Amino acid sequence: PWPGSGMKVHFVVLGLLGLMLAAGLFYRLVAVLVFLAISYVFLLEKALYLNHIYLVCLVAFLMIFLPANRIWSLDAWRFRGMRTPVVPAWTLWLLRFQLALPYFFGGIAKLNPDWLRGEPLRMWLAGDSDFPVIGRFFTEEPVVRLMTYGALVLDLFVVPLLLFRRTRPFAYAAAFLFHLLNARLFSIGIFPWLMIAGTAIFFPPDWPRRIYEDLTRRPGSLRSIAWWLGFAAGAAVGWTLPVQFDIPQVVFGGLGGALTLFSLVELYRPMPVPAARGEENFERAQAVDPPAPRRLTRPVSLLLALWVGFHVLMPLRHLVIPGNVHWTEEGHRFSWMMLVRSKRGETQFVVTDASRGNTWTVDPREYLGRHQIGPMQGKPDMVLQFAHYLRDRLHDEGYEDVEIRARTLLQLNGRPAQPFVDPDVDLSKQHWPWLGHADWILPE
């Protein structure tokens, strides 16, 4: 980390860069800086790994190359020659692909015996019975089953349903309520608000222009009224959620409510794009009669294929590794396996000084912070990493020939606790396989 107050300064600068990126000011340079700044934070602390920060890093990287500042940006206002209301279709579909990954692979991850029998959601719901209005039903088995299978079905099918006009309003409404519920039930930070806004990428790309037209030229139309009513209803629901981020939950709650009601009105009263008349309306003229598309060059096609192929195969790598991925954690990170396992455990390290014949126990709490202890208990690679760290510390203190073993007990999704690291293996001499199975991880 940066020394002194450097981390606070880093986040202030990151916030300012985010505002510049949203406004489209010096877009390309700022996009690079945002990607580097958020990736630095993401890579800084392994114990704080979060899927949604990984998603932010990926989207920030893609934005470096996407023409997101062609219109409605300060860059387009400063340089009128770059203005155009159309962009290559692959840029839109690449973002849709990236936002679809957490949904689809989140659903794939739920196709496991524990989730299908209701765990760990049943345990989490039982501890949240104070949820407004519906919390008293969280211990009822039909409610547990409804939420378990509802989340599974939504993750697997919400993206295809969002792509069709007839099913879009209902799919987005379900996703909106799903993210609001997650924001209240789980401490997952910005992810619900990110997905409420990001899921709008599956709407027809001219939806902001349609809303602008309604609010400015037809303020009394049914669609305008739906926009304001939806925003007010969504903002009110967001305000009632007792979570930490007050302003975002109101803003993005309002956005989600507005898009839900707006898309429902659009379903029954679609607005055709009016024909352009000559050159009097530059934006509409190009929207109706866009420039002739250019074919993708071979290098760009290859890079897109590699990007898509990598992000499809990466979440599936655990299928070629023996064992239950939720137990071994081998292939778990970067795979969109979100909120599908609960682990509780205890870990102690036994150190043997071979040269002196001394043996003693080390409590990792003497070396690690609270935010590191919990994640380490259920992740064998972090247990191994700490064993190597402890070995190096002892070497510095004059212990030349030490052996380090781990005594572990781990409980997965409410099942009885059992050892998950072989207590007879000297971890100081083991290495973590980047793609494969560590045989010192005991089977569940």
Side-chain angles (χ1 to χ4, degrees):
W2 298 112
S5 299
M7 289 307 302
K8 294 181 180 179
V9 173
H10 183 92
F11 278 101
V12 170
V13 171
L14 179 57
L16 294 174
L17 291 172
L19 292 174
M20 294 174 66
L21 188 70
L25 181 61
F26 305 112
Y27 172 78
R28 296 292 181 188
L29 172 62
V30 170
V32 172
L33 295 177
V34 166
F35 167 68
L36 294 176
I38 194 65
S39 298
Y40 166 79
V41 174
F42 174 68
L43 297 171
L44 193 60
E45 173 56 272
K46 186 176 187 177
L48 297 180
Y49 169 84
L50 291 170
N51 280 286
H52 60 266
I53 303 300
Y54 172 51
L55 177 63
V56 171
C57 292
L58 295 177
V59 173
F61 177 75
L62 291 180
M63 290 187 72
I64 298 173
F65 308 98
L66 301 183
N69 63 332
R70 293 293 180 85
I71 200 167
W72 292 5
S73 73
L74 293 180
D75 284 347
W77 176 73
R78 293 165 59 234
F79 306 105
R80 295 301 180 104
M82 66 179 292
R83 294 186 64 197
T84 173
V86 295
V87 293
W90 69 264
T91 62
L92 175 66
W93 283 100
L94 183 60
L95 276 180
R96 286 175 171 172
F97 166 78
Q98 205 66 62
L99 269 294
L101 291 177
Y103 282 120
F104 179 72
F105 283 111
I108 294 295
K110 291 180 176 65
L111 294 173
N112 71 80
D114 282 351
W115 185 269
L116 296 178
R117 68 181 176 88
E119 297 294 352
L121 188 59
R122 181 182 290 107
M123 295 187 298
W124 292 335
L125 290 176
D128 234 310
S129 57
D130 60 340
F131 191 94
V133 182
I134 61 174
R136 63 181 182 273
F137 302 111
F138 281 177
T139 55
E140 301 291 334
E141 191 61 23
V143 174
V144 173
R145 292 291 179 176
L146 174 64
M147 297 180 71
T148 297
Y149 287 94
L152 170 64
V153 171
L154 185 138
D155 278 341
L156 287 176
F157 298 106
V158 68
V159 170
L161 292 176
L162 283 166
L163 293 174
F164 292 96
R165 186 171 68 89
R166 292 292 181 186
T167 55
R168 184 179 301 121
F170 312 104
Y172 186 82
F176 176 51
L177 294 175
F178 174 75
H179 292 304
L180 285 182
L181 195 62
N182 283 343
R184 173 57 178 82
L185 288 174
F186 309 112
S187 300
I188 49 179
I190 67 171
F191 186 66
W193 321 119
L194 171 69
M195 295 306 288
I196 286 173
T199 301
I201 198 72
F202 296 100
F203 282 60
D206 66 339
W207 70 262
R209 184 178 293 112
R210 291 191 179 195
I211 290 174
Y212 178 78
E213 292 266 352
D214 282 335
L215 295 182
T216 57
R217 301 188 180 184
R218 290 171 288 275
S221 68
L222 181 61
R223 282 187 295 270
S224 296
I225 295 172
W227 169 261
W228 289 117
L229 286 178
F231 188 90
V237 173
W239 180 260
T240 61
L241 290 176
V243 293
Q244 184 177 358
F245 305 94
D246 291 336
I247 294 178
Q249 69 193 39
V250 171
V251 172
F252 291 109
L255 175 65
L259 285 174
T260 299
L261 202 53
F262 174 80
S263 62
L264 190 60
V265 173
E266 286 282 278
L267 176 62
Y268 296 104
R269 296 188 61 180
M271 173 184 170
V273 178
R277 297 179 180 177
E279 297 296 326
E280 64 187 57
N281 190 320
F282 167 77
E283 294 180 13
R284 191 171 292 158
Q286 286 206 330
V288 174
D289 188 18
R294 293 181 298 176
R295 295 187 62 182
L296 288 176
T297 63
R298 185 170 296 178
V300 172
S301 300
L302 177 61
L303 289 174
L304 288 174
L306 290 174
W307 180 270
V308 171
F310 174 82
H311 287 286
V312 169
L313 295 176
M314 186 73 167
L316 300 176
R317 69 191 189 281
H318 68 92
L319 297 177
V320 299
I321 303 175
N324 179 359
V325 62
H326 303 301
W327 175 261
T328 67
E329 298 285 327
E330 295 170 315
H332 201 282
R333 291 189 188 90
F334 312 109
S335 299
W336 314 112
M337 298 184 186
M338 298 174 286
L339 298 174
V340 290
R341 50 96 164 93
S342 173
K343 286 184 171 181
R344 297 179 181 178
E346 289 291 333
T347 304
Q348 288 185 330
F349 292 85
V350 179
V351 180
T352 301
D353 182 358
S355 61
R356 305 175 189 177
N358 295 333
T359 299
W360 67 97
T361 301
V362 173
D363 188 339
R365 292 175 179 83
E366 299 175 11
Y367 297 90
L368 301 178
R370 181 183 300 178
H371 68 282
Q372 298 169 319
I373 290 291
M376 187 201 68
Q377 307 283 15
K379 295 180 173 61
D381 63 312
M382 295 179 69
V383 172
L384 179 68
Q385 190 172 357
F386 179 78
H388 287 190
Y389 166 79
L390 186 60
R391 175 199 62 194
D392 296 340
R393 283 286 298 266
L394 292 172
H395 283 177
D396 294 340
E397 295 174 10
Y399 295 92
E400 297 295 335
D401 187 13
V402 295
E403 299 175 356
I404 300 176
R405 296 172 175 83
R407 295 175 181 169
T408 60
L409 277 178
L410 185 65
Q411 185 184 57
L412 174 64
N413 292 339
R415 295 199 288 274
Q418 63 184 83
F420 81 111
V421 171
D422 191 336
D424 298 323
V425 172
D426 178 10
L427 296 179
S428 68
K429 297 180 175 61
Q430 300 299 316
H431 299 282
W432 184 254
W434 289 106
L435 184 62
H437 177 61
D439 55 10
W440 45 269
I441 302 176
L442 297 175
E444 62 171 328

